[in-house]
Amino acid sequence: MEITLLQLLTILGMAAATYSTRALSYLFLRGRGFSPDVKKLFEMMPCCVMVSVVAPSFMTTSIPDLGGLAAALLVAAKKSLILSVAAAVGVDALLMHVL
């Protein structure tokens, strides 16, 4: 399986969108006092971007995609966002190879 230039640019664009939500909020709002609820909201912004990327997987009948989604949900319940993404990609790739 080869990755195309468009796929690579899409992945890099999603990574930039995920990172920029956190970096820009800290850059523009540093030095201000916020309530714990607002701070929690800022920490959850990258997760919101990831949900918008993953949400279409809920509407699929593809076994590898559903397996990756299940892995992401299971890992996200206990571990960090990056580990849930890695688990989803790993399970999806494994199931595509096996099936």
Side-chain angles (χ1 to χ4, degrees):
M1 183 172 126
E2 291 185 29
I3 189 166
T4 66
L5 179 60
L6 181 60
Q7 291 170 329
L8 179 62
L9 291 175
T10 301
I11 292 168
L12 292 175
M14 288 188 298
T18 303
Y19 178 76
S20 68
T21 57
R22 179 169 286 179
L24 291 176
S25 65
Y26 285 127
L27 179 67
F28 291 125
L29 301 173
R30 67 177 181 242
R32 297 184 185 189
F34 293 103
S35 69
D37 290 336
V38 172
K39 289 179 182 178
K40 180 105 173 146
L41 176 69
F42 287 148
E43 291 174 4
M44 296 305 294
M45 280 183 194
C47 296
C48 295
V49 173
M50 289 303 298
V51 166
S52 69
V53 171
V54 173
S57 295
F58 284 105
M59 305 306 287
T60 187
T61 57
S62 167
I63 299 299
D65 289 347
L66 290 173
L69 178 62
L73 293 173
L74 289 173
V75 174
K78 299 287 183 184
K79 302 293 180 183
S80 70
L81 179 62
I82 190 71
L83 289 177
S84 66
V85 171
V89 170
V91 168
D92 197 294
L94 177 68
L95 289 175
M96 280 196 296
H97 180 72
V98 171
L99 301 176

